[in-house]
Amino acid sequence: MQDEKNISEFKANDQTIIENKELNFLEALIPVILLMALLFYNIIFADGELLGEYSNQIILLIGGVIAAIVGFFNKVSINRMATEIWENLKSVFIPIMILFLVGALAGTWLISGVIPAMVYYGLQVLSPEIFLPASVIIAAVISIATGSSWTTSATVGIALVGIGTALGINPGMIAGAVISGAYFGDKMSPLSDTTNLAPAMAGTDLFTHIKYMSLTTVPTIIVTLIVFGVLSFTITTSGSADVSNLLNTIDFTFNITPWLFLVPLAVIGLILLKTKPLTALTTGVLLAAIFAFIFQPDVLNSLGESKLSSVITSVFTDTQITTENEKLNDLFSAGGMKGMLWTIYLIICAMVFGGIMDGIGALSRITSALLSVATSVFGLFASTVVSCLGLNTIASDQYLAIVIPGKMFKKAFEDKGLAPENLSRTLEDSGTVTSVLIPWNTCGAYQSGVLGVGVAEYFFYAIFNWLSPFTTLLFAAFSIKIKQLKSSKNA
């Protein structure tokens, strides 16, 4: 009979953190090492298809089975693991619904002419010389206003990828610019859930956290803008000379009018009014469907037996609008809700693996081991960063990458005489922003699915995201703006 007296748990902001006294550090690492080895081989040597189209998903489930076996040997019941899996799956129900709606949004915004109109006008305003830094700034502004990197990608992100692709700019560069701006805004917005969660875990208040976080975040985004500015002047584009032909083709295929911008403006307006994302995105789908009947009857007639069937098809399955320009043919295609299934399956499998790892106590064991070697102030910061990165990889969830290290390291920061905003800033610099760099993390899967650009393609160009942990470590190494507790006399 299994004995769970070795199991203890505590809750933090609706997240349960489980500790298992029976499990040692090496045992906790077994599923992680095997998972990383399989994923590495699949991505590098098997071109992502070691076990077929859904290789990453199957590998995550294999990792979950290995973790469950480790759990059995450490007196963890199936019921305990199943409970944590269920809790994880419940936590991603809304994101999965959002993904389905984003798929429907992409399809209806295409047939209604919304995306073509964005591309049409964007080509005339955004030249290749300023496109990448402009994309960073546009995404940052929208993300600060909405508090959501996900919403930013689902609206202006899709449009910017379309415009940049038409200009002949590398899609990975465009996605990297959009993600960099979106996550800068997400971090700095008081409306963001992670920006509220990090100070709550560390024991400081929201605006102290934002003010202190700006010390590392602002220099990082400035460096990001400089890099993208240099890239914009050095890249060779194939689309700039062909803009007039692209504009003529779009104008011939669709009825382009500024009225079409009412649809994305309505969605952004609803979000600014604190409307729930599901409601805002559903409104965007319905408005786009109506606008398709009004402005694009010829397009609808060319796609199906009836206008209604064309709209329904765009919501649920593949839509392809053929033009005389091959570049636009690739751009004017959408997968509807069906196109989001690969991403949704990846998220579900990641949640199964993360749930089992949490259920057997492996996540807290790994974090505790990192904490035990943090003997210096810099070591404490470094252990927090590594813990956040590791949990983004293992648990596949940015919230757990904030909650678990936040709870585990809070007392250690106090013992070193460090103000709690040091911890909250580090959690955001390494937990929030790096989640999008992991293909099987909910954020990485979402962004790659919505923007249509793989994580491997945009990873290098998501400059703000991978530079942020280095910035926070640099500040720690040279004791730059490391705030002490008022009662502490330590340097």
Side-chain angles (χ1 to χ4, degrees):
M1 181 180 291
Q2 290 174 323
D3 178 13
E4 290 205 19
K5 292 180 180 178
N6 57 303
I7 297 289
S8 62
E9 62 180 62
F10 59 87
K11 277 190 170 288
N13 284 59
D14 298 326
Q15 298 279 359
T16 301
I17 301 172
I18 296 174
E19 296 178 335
N20 184 350
K21 296 177 183 177
E22 294 285 332
L23 188 72
N24 64 49
F25 179 65
L26 291 178
E27 289 173 329
L29 281 181
I30 290 173
V32 178
I33 293 170
L34 293 176
L35 176 70
M36 293 298 104
L38 286 171
L39 287 170
F40 179 81
Y41 184 87
N42 180 50
I43 294 169
I44 302 299
F45 298 106
D47 201 25
E49 296 191 357
L50 175 65
L51 301 171
E53 181 183 358
Y54 296 102
S55 292
N56 285 348
Q57 289 88 337
I58 295 171
I59 289 171
L60 283 165
L61 292 178
I62 291 172
V65 171
I66 295 168
I69 294 171
V70 172
F72 291 145
F73 279 101
N74 285 276
K75 303 178 182 180
V76 182
S77 68
I78 294 177
N79 182 59
R80 164 67 64 182
M81 290 182 270
T83 299
E84 290 308 308
I85 291 172
W86 176 240
E87 290 299 318
N88 269 15
L89 291 175
K90 285 197 299 183
S91 73
V92 295
F93 177 76
I94 296 300
I96 286 174
M97 292 298 101
I98 289 174
L99 275 169
F100 273 128
L101 283 172
V102 167
L105 198 77
T108 54
W109 282 24
L110 173 61
I111 63 168
S112 65
V114 171
I115 291 176
M118 289 178 172
V119 174
Y120 182 84
Y121 291 110
L123 286 172
Q124 300 176 63
V125 175
L126 294 171
S127 66
E129 290 77 16
I130 65 166
F131 185 83
L132 292 174
S135 295
V136 174
I137 294 170
I138 292 168
V141 170
I142 297 298
S143 192
I144 288 173
T146 62
S148 171
S149 57
W150 285 32
T151 301
T152 300
S153 297
T155 50
V156 298
I158 292 174
L160 289 168
V161 170
I163 296 165
T165 302
L167 286 169
I169 299 174
N170 182 337
M173 288 186 181
I174 307 164
V178 170
I179 289 168
S180 291
Y183 274 81
F184 166 80
D186 192 308
K187 278 182 66 178
M188 299 304 291
S189 174
L191 304 177
S192 168
D193 49 4
T194 57
T195 306
N196 282 273
L197 181 60
M201 289 295 95
T204 186
D205 65 271
L206 174 63
F207 291 102
T208 298
H209 166 63
I210 292 175
K211 181 181 177 180
Y212 197 66
M213 188 167 54
S214 67
L215 297 172
T216 55
T217 302
V218 171
T220 306
I221 198 66
I222 289 173
V223 172
T224 300
L225 285 167
I226 291 171
V227 172
F228 277 119
V230 172
L231 281 175
S232 289
F233 281 101
T234 57
I235 57 176
T236 302
T237 61
S238 59
S240 56
D242 196 32
V243 168
S244 61
N245 182 43
L246 292 174
L247 295 175
N248 290 334
T249 303
I250 295 171
D251 197 30
F252 177 79
T253 308
F254 297 91
N255 176 22
I256 300 298
T257 168
W259 289 109
L260 293 168
F261 285 97
L262 288 176
V263 178
L265 287 175
V267 174
I268 293 172
L270 286 171
I271 293 168
L272 291 176
L273 292 172
K274 309 295 189 301
T275 305
K276 292 182 179 179
L278 290 177
T279 303
L281 292 174
T282 301
T283 302
V285 171
L286 294 175
L287 280 177
I290 294 169
F291 274 48
F293 281 103
I294 297 172
F295 293 104
Q296 313 299 340
D298 293 337
V299 171
L300 295 182
N301 287 329
S302 69
L303 292 174
E305 297 178 358
S306 68
K307 295 183 180 69
L308 181 60
S309 67
S310 296
V311 171
I312 293 174
T313 298
S314 73
V315 170
F316 293 103
T317 60
D318 301 319
T319 299
Q320 175 68 62
I321 297 176
T322 304
T323 69
E324 298 176 354
N325 190 297
E326 291 185 8
K327 191 180 297 181
L328 291 177
N329 288 343
D330 293 335
L331 183 60
F332 294 157
S333 62
M337 291 186 178
K338 176 186 173 185
M340 292 290 115
L341 287 176
W342 191 94
T343 300
I344 289 168
Y345 293 154
L346 185 67
I347 291 173
I348 291 172
C349 293
M351 290 299 100
V352 171
F353 174 73
I356 296 174
M357 286 291 288
D358 196 18
I360 68 174
L363 299 185
S364 62
R365 175 62 64 196
I366 292 170
T367 305
S368 297
L370 288 170
L371 180 58
S372 67
V373 299
T375 56
S376 65
V377 170
F378 176 76
L380 184 58
F381 277 90
S383 295
T384 307
V385 169
V386 172
S387 180
C388 291
L389 293 173
L391 285 164
N392 262 328
T393 304
I394 301 166
S396 308
D397 182 84
Q398 69 171 344
Y399 298 106
L400 284 175
I402 292 173
V403 168
I404 294 178
K407 204 68 181 174
M408 295 293 184
F409 286 88
K410 182 179 178 181
K411 187 175 186 303
F413 271 75
E414 292 175 355
D415 291 343
K416 292 288 185 184
L418 300 171
E421 47 265 42
N422 290 288
L423 175 58
S424 66
R425 181 177 74 183
T426 307
L427 293 175
E428 286 255 67
D429 282 344
S430 52
T432 299
V433 298
T434 60
S435 57
V436 74
L437 303 177
I438 312 299
W440 54 90
N441 189 286
T442 51
C443 296
Y446 175 86
Q447 296 290 351
S448 61
V450 168
L451 298 176
V453 183
V455 174
E457 295 177 72
Y458 70 63
F459 184 99
F460 178 77
Y461 299 107
I463 297 165
F464 175 81
N465 300 72
W466 58 255
L467 187 58
S468 290
F470 288 105
T471 305
T472 205
L473 287 176
L474 182 68
F475 274 54
F478 291 96
S479 296
I480 303 170
K481 298 297 182 181
I482 304 301
K483 189 176 181 181
Q484 305 290 317
L485 287 169
K486 291 181 179 179
S487 59
S488 174
K489 296 180 181 179
N490 295 330

